[in-house]
Amino acid sequence: MEWTVEEDVAWGGNTRPAILFSPGVDEVEGGRIVFRGRLGLTGDGGAVLEVAGTHILFDLADPPPSPAVDGTWVEVRVERNSVSLWPYLL
């Protein structure tokens, strides 16, 4: 299976440090999906979120997060309709 998310990582917007240090995918109030995992910065304007062995690619919104967040646990909250799981629909 392959996750596709059509939103950028916006530090302080839809992305923040995680309170729990374990991977997860949840639906929250307002129809948003929350991905929790380790954030890896790629150095070319992108990021990879590792969620329980799955890697989800993201672009970074301006301004990009500090390099200090590389490898830390984060939560990324996105609109449900921006998420697809191939070969399934959410």
Side-chain angles (χ1 to χ4, degrees):
M1 289 187 286
E2 180 179 318
W3 290 94
T4 301
V5 181
E6 299 296 331
E7 286 191 40
D8 295 346
V9 165
W11 193 256
N14 68 352
T15 307
R16 64 189 75 162
I19 296 171
L20 300 174
F21 302 115
S22 63
V25 178
D26 299 304
E27 183 174 11
V28 295
E29 199 173 306
R32 296 182 72 78
I33 304 290
V34 179
F35 294 97
R36 188 174 54 251
R38 287 189 184 262
L39 184 67
L41 303 177
T42 63
D44 63 354
V48 177
L49 187 67
E50 182 182 347
V51 180
T54 298
H55 294 91
I56 304 170
L57 302 175
F58 287 90
D59 289 327
L60 296 175
D62 285 328
S66 163
V69 304
D70 190 32
T72 63
W73 286 93
V74 300
E75 288 185 354
V76 181
R77 295 173 181 256
V78 296
E79 293 294 329
R80 181 184 179 134
N81 63 4
S82 74
V83 177
S84 61
L85 178 61
W86 189 86
Y88 303 99
L89 295 175
L90 294 181

